[in-house]
Amino acid sequence: MSIPFSNTHYRIPQGFGNLLEGLTREILREQPDNIPAFAAAYFENLLEKREKTTFDPAEWGAKVEDRFYNNHAFKEQEQAEKCEQEIAKSSGREETPVTPFEEMTEEEREQEEAAALKIQSVFRGHVAREEVKKMKSDKSENPKAEVNN
């Protein structure tokens, strides 16, 4: 039973959103058949990395969120650079630094916008094709039902 005018508000723990974003990104990248098993393996891997490197992604995510909202957590740049280096080491691949949109040149902005537009158009095309497939399957099922009556 739910209370429609409840004054209860749940607070999401800091860093939790960052962990879920990382899991979501990996699920989209890998496209596993068994998502719960993949999630369990993903979090076990994170725990192993945390124990080996003493780097906690949840804590780092909380600092990133804190940095976004009130800019207190990352006053020491050395600590931020250390975290980024540990992430690159633990992921096994070197990542290129992300340039803020405001600091990009006009050409880089155009390339970013063109890439985003292409991704959006490909996704919209995919959605449209799926809708057409669904409409075709619905049409093929309806005449069979009418013939049987």
Side-chain angles (χ1 to χ4, degrees):
M1 179 175 151
S2 65
I3 302 170
F5 299 106
S6 175
N7 203 13
T8 305
H9 296 283
Y10 296 107
R11 189 180 69 80
I12 298 172
Q14 285 189 331
F16 185 68
N18 190 327
L19 287 175
L20 290 181
E21 286 177 15
L23 173 65
T24 304
R25 186 179 313 111
E26 291 302 317
I27 287 173
L28 292 174
R29 187 177 295 150
E30 298 289 329
Q31 299 290 317
D33 292 331
N34 188 347
I35 292 175
F38 182 83
Y42 174 80
F43 286 121
E44 286 178 12
N45 188 17
L46 280 181
L47 281 172
E48 288 175 10
K49 287 180 184 178
R50 185 176 72 178
E51 291 170 357
K52 289 180 184 176
T53 64
T54 66
F55 171 72
D56 187 6
E59 181 181 324
W60 186 79
K63 289 181 180 180
V64 169
E65 290 171 5
D66 190 41
R67 175 183 176 193
F68 178 74
Y69 289 110
N70 58 23
N71 205 13
H72 290 300
F74 279 90
K75 286 190 176 178
E76 295 178 22
Q77 278 301 87
E78 296 171 9
Q79 185 179 5
E81 291 171 1
K82 181 182 175 185
C83 288
E84 290 172 4
Q85 289 172 354
E86 288 181 15
I87 289 173
K89 287 178 186 176
S90 66
S91 67
R93 57 182 172 230
E94 294 295 322
E95 296 182 9
T96 58
V98 177
T99 306
F101 193 73
E102 298 84 23
E103 296 177 9
M104 291 182 176
T105 64
E106 188 65 33
E107 183 178 323
E108 290 174 329
R109 286 184 191 168
E110 289 175 3
Q111 288 177 346
E112 290 276 331
E113 289 173 2
L117 182 65
K118 179 139 183 134
I119 291 168
Q120 291 170 354
S121 65
V122 168
F123 179 74
R124 288 183 186 128
H126 167 73
V127 170
R129 287 188 296 277
E130 291 297 317
E131 288 177 4
V132 168
K133 285 181 186 176
K134 185 179 177 186
M135 289 172 28
K136 285 182 179 179
S137 68
D138 289 346
K139 283 184 180 178
S140 65
E141 291 174 5
N142 288 341
K144 292 176 185 176
E146 292 175 6
V147 170
N148 291 338
N149 289 333

